[in-house]
Amino acid sequence: MLKDPSQKYRPFAPVHLPDRQWPNRVLTCAPLWCSVDLRDGNQALAVPMNISQKLELFQTLVKCGFKEIEVGFPSASNTEFSFNRRLIEENRAPGDVWLQALVQAREDLIERTFESLVGAKKAIIHLYNSTSPAQRRVVFGMSKEEIVRVAVRGATWIQERLPRLKGTEVMLQYSPESFSATEVEFTKEVSEAVMEVWKPTPQRKMILNLPDTVEVAMPNVYADQIEWICRNIRDRDSLIISLHTHNDRCTGVAATELGLLAGADRVEGTIFGNGERTGNLDIVTVALNLYMHGIDPKLDFSDLTAMLEVYERCTGMTVPPRQPYAGELVFTAFSGSHQDAIKKGLTEWERGGRQHWDVPYLTIDPTDIGREYREVIRVNSQSGKGGVAYLLESEFGIELPKEMQREFGPIANDEVDRLGREVSGAELKAMFWREYIERTAPWQLRGFETESRNGIVRCRARLLRDDQPIEFSGEGNGPLAALVHGFSTAGVPRFEITHYSEHALSSGEEAAAIAYIQVKHSDGRTRWGAGVDTNIELASVKAVLSALNRS
Ligand code: KIV
Ligand code: ZN
């Protein structure tokens, strides 16, 4: 890297807009959405989608609620053309969905694009040409006037062919490509020249799409550019101002959100942000960002996992684990303090009484988008006892008493540390079983019977001690008190029971009860034990033996 980057790179000249209005606004409703997955997204794939993959993704986008879908660049290849034809001839697009076709300002390509759209119910014809100084100089070697002429010619060729699409409701769209790197005054000039040809009205608007083709500045600069156009272009009320951001500086979402504040009506993007280089704007993120503020995004991501599965299969791309909302780890907390706070937040939420979601660390309820609480917490060596307890409870209905969590948490963490990886809920349960339930030495239960008379419970315990049979009787005001008494008559050092609780295990192979016991020895040491049995009395006896076996 250069010691002095200013030798090679220069700052971006901001738009002069001292009375900008967008910073004082808030978003209150969803924009119009247009998915460009099948065009911008597709053209950025190492192996572009075949027709059946495009069809499947198209269906998924429709199901999600997209009403405008850029289906391709029909004049660019036979696959693109045939795909468009199949959508139309096989009647695959619902009546309220616009099929958008991109085309450059070339007559032969415009001709072919029209052929591809014959019979469509609703079609958006999307004309673009590049307008920035670098594109004018390097790519086209054209002056501003020549660039305007290209746009006007393209617009005219489209205008002349409109009668060919009888029976099709047509909307026209113009994109001054590389808008964000173009002088705003020139964007106005070229766009108004196109408007002069298409003559949009408030009743028959055209879409003016203003692409951040390559992010060249901070998102506030893009917002200023959008507000400048909204305020200075003629016949604003005859236009649908559309945003189309890419992600070169990793602020595609921010640029879009600020662009909406700046007055835009419509957003183009892709699901999960696929697209050239660093990708297009991720529509899922912008839509769910609105959702988390209580605004209906008008797109349905109730089963985001299924959508992601279709996307990955069709495009061959993968969604990174930290991708907002969709990533595998988004609803996973590794840190103990996060786990603890989430657990408390979820408990409060489940108890009801709060109108609005306010669970620490979780921006939205994962279940709203088809994710499960079960995915929320995994345990690694950094996890605290809260995470361990949460997982045992949420996955297996094992509700460890608070103090027992303090004992088992470090035991589990040591084991996870030794394994050097995160563990699943099932592994955690197996650790718990090994530590408490499956201990059979020195004490093992062979039989336990009780009888009660006049409030006194008498027990008869048949046990193995280091594999040797031992029997004793005891009495007390309950089965456990009788058992403790019996142990003392058999010469076992005195101990008392300082905690007892039990609950049914929700389901599964145990279909049983689990009992938790804490014993306190005469020297002050305490130990926890747990026992499982279909008979709750036997579960509690096993829990006592478990605590003794761990002493
Ligand atoms: O990024 C871009 O500028 C485009 C245009 C064709 C709209 O994809
Ligand atoms: Zn693009």
Side-chain angles (χ1 to χ4, degrees):
M1 282 181 62
L2 301 177
K3 284 248 166 316
D4 178 8
S6 72
Q7 297 291 310
K8 189 167 178 182
Y9 304 101
R10 62 201 157 151
F12 189 83
V15 182
H16 184 68
L17 197 66
D19 60 342
R20 59 181 64 78
Q21 300 299 307
W22 62 262
N24 299 323
R25 301 202 185 117
V26 287
L27 298 180
T28 54
C29 62
L32 300 167
W33 303 106
C34 174
S35 153
V36 295
D37 288 86
L38 300 168
R39 196 277 299 171
D40 217 350
N42 188 44
Q43 76 187 35
L45 296 176
V47 182
M49 286 178 269
N50 59 33
I51 292 186
S52 63
Q53 288 165 329
K54 281 187 97 176
L55 285 174
E56 187 177 4
L57 194 52
F58 177 82
Q59 283 322 135
T60 304
L61 295 168
V62 167
K63 192 163 160 229
C64 174
F66 282 97
K67 302 293 178 208
E68 298 176 28
I69 301 176
E70 192 162 77
V71 288
F73 206 147
S75 60
S77 74
N78 281 337
T79 311
E80 298 278 287
F81 186 90
S82 310
F83 173 64
N84 229 7
R85 291 313 309 154
R86 278 195 62 180
L87 286 180
I88 295 164
E89 283 162 20
E90 294 171 12
N91 216 5
R92 287 175 182 264
D96 60 348
V97 171
W98 296 83
L99 302 182
Q100 180 167 314
L102 181 73
V103 66
Q104 286 161 338
R106 274 181 40 194
E107 190 166 19
D108 54 335
L109 304 185
I110 289 172
E111 178 70 27
R112 184 93 173 128
T113 304
F114 270 78
E115 283 167 27
S116 81
L117 288 171
V118 171
K121 290 181 209 113
K122 289 179 187 283
I124 299 174
I125 301 171
H126 179 187
L127 171 74
Y128 79 100
N129 67 321
S130 208
T131 52
S132 69
Q135 295 265 1
R136 297 193 307 254
R137 188 183 68 249
V138 180
V139 183
F140 305 107
M142 284 186 186
S143 65
K144 284 182 179 170
E145 293 68 36
E146 287 168 314
I147 292 287
V148 172
R149 268 205 295 280
V150 169
V152 168
R153 254 195 344 247
T156 310
W157 285 323
I158 289 174
Q159 185 72 23
E160 287 165 357
R161 285 166 176 76
L162 286 178
R164 300 242 194 112
L165 293 180
K166 275 211 187 62
T168 301
E169 193 179 344
V170 179
M171 189 146 51
L172 299 177
Q173 170 166 340
Y174 173 65
S175 290
E177 199 209 340
S178 61
F179 155 78
S180 55
T182 302
E183 310 86 334
V184 279
E185 296 80 5
F186 183 54
T187 298
K188 172 175 150 68
E189 183 185 335
V190 67
S191 304
E192 287 183 350
V194 170
M195 290 165 72
E196 194 53 48
V197 180
W198 286 348
K199 301 208 176 346
T201 64
Q203 292 70 39
R204 204 178 46 82
K205 298 185 193 217
M206 67 168 259
I207 301 167
L208 178 61
N209 187 47
L210 302 172
D212 208 0
T213 304
V214 178
E215 281 202 302
V216 286
M218 286 169 59
N220 59 308
V221 175
Y222 184 64
D224 280 352
Q225 293 168 324
I226 299 295
E227 184 170 326
W228 191 97
I229 293 289
C230 287
R231 284 166 57 176
N232 290 285
I233 197 139
R234 71 158 227 239
D235 299 336
R236 167 68 183 91
D237 59 352
S238 299
L239 296 173
I240 294 170
I241 297 287
S242 174
L243 309 175
H244 176 116
T245 63
H246 281 261
N247 206 31
D248 302 79
R249 294 166 56 99
C250 206
T251 53
V253 165
T256 293
E257 291 181 333
L258 300 192
L260 288 173
L261 289 178
D265 312 296
R266 178 182 188 265
V267 168
E268 290 194 349
T270 57
I271 55 170
F272 311 120
N274 180 40
E276 292 282 5
R277 308 179 307 282
T278 50
N280 284 65
L281 161 84
D282 173 16
I283 285 192
V284 178
T285 299
V286 178
L288 288 174
N289 283 354
L290 290 173
Y291 181 78
M292 77 163 279
H293 283 172
I295 299 167
D296 176 3
K298 310 270 189 223
L299 289 175
D300 183 6
F301 298 110
S302 303
D303 195 352
L304 195 57
T305 310
M307 182 177 225
L308 189 144
E309 195 269 319
V310 172
Y311 163 81
E312 291 193 338
R313 187 154 36 75
C314 291
T315 62
M317 300 293 291
T318 47
V319 169
R322 303 276 179 206
Q323 174 98 356
Y325 302 105
E328 195 199 331
L329 296 180
V330 172
F331 299 111
T332 302
F334 287 89
S335 126
S337 62
H338 289 210
Q339 292 170 355
D340 194 46
I342 290 170
K343 180 173 186 270
K344 288 176 178 145
L346 290 176
T347 306
E348 181 197 58
W349 177 252
E350 276 153 17
R351 244 189 259 125
R354 282 203 74 84
Q355 190 190 348
H356 292 116
W357 181 260
D358 195 13
V359 174
Y361 301 109
L362 295 181
T363 54
I364 60 167
D365 184 344
T367 61
D368 288 355
I369 54 171
R371 306 287 298 266
E372 287 187 1
Y373 294 135
R374 214 180 294 169
E375 296 175 352
V376 172
I377 296 177
R378 297 191 202 157
V379 169
N380 65 11
S381 59
Q382 261 75 60
S383 308
K385 60 182 176 15
V388 171
Y390 181 82
L391 207 58
L392 286 177
E393 185 174 339
S394 60
E395 291 207 7
F396 303 104
I398 298 170
E399 297 164 23
L400 298 189
K402 267 260 164 345
E403 252 196 84
M404 192 176 190
Q405 293 177 18
R406 280 194 271 280
E407 185 185 87
F408 180 58
I411 294 170
N413 274 8
D414 283 353
E415 177 72 3
V416 176
D417 219 9
R418 198 181 56 71
L419 291 169
R421 59 174 173 81
E422 72 179 29
V423 292
S424 66
E427 286 175 302
L428 208 57
K429 183 187 163 202
M431 279 179 213
F432 183 80
W433 246 237
R434 272 198 304 279
E435 180 64 32
Y436 294 95
I437 310 289
E438 291 165 357
R439 283 189 185 252
T440 52
W443 296 102
Q444 213 179 324
L445 182 66
R446 304 300 300 274
F448 184 79
E449 291 90 33
T450 54
E451 62 178 30
S452 166
R453 206 172 297 152
N454 301 329
I456 302 291
V457 175
R458 290 194 172 72
C459 76
R460 177 111 203 110
R462 286 175 292 115
L463 307 171
L464 290 180
R465 182 186 201 169
D466 292 325
D467 291 331
Q468 298 303 311
I470 172 171
E471 287 192 23
F472 57 74
S473 306
E475 59 179 47
N477 55 7
L480 286 182
L483 178 68
V484 172
H485 175 241
F487 269 115
S488 68
T489 63
V492 174
R494 290 191 70 81
F495 66 89
E496 59 179 310
I497 290 176
T498 46
H499 175 101
Y500 169 72
S501 59
E502 34 100 349
H503 62 81
L505 279 171
S506 40
S507 60
E509 77 274 17
E510 295 89 8
I514 184 164
Y516 310 99
I517 293 275
Q518 188 190 46
V519 300
K520 186 171 178 189
H521 295 280
S522 49
D523 60 5
R525 281 176 307 124
T526 56
R527 280 292 178 276
W528 282 91
V532 171
D533 203 286
T534 46
N535 175 320
I536 187 57
E537 192 169 280
L538 292 184
S540 59
V541 172
K542 285 179 180 175
V544 173
L545 299 186
S546 154
L548 294 179
N549 285 340
R550 299 186 62 252
S551 293

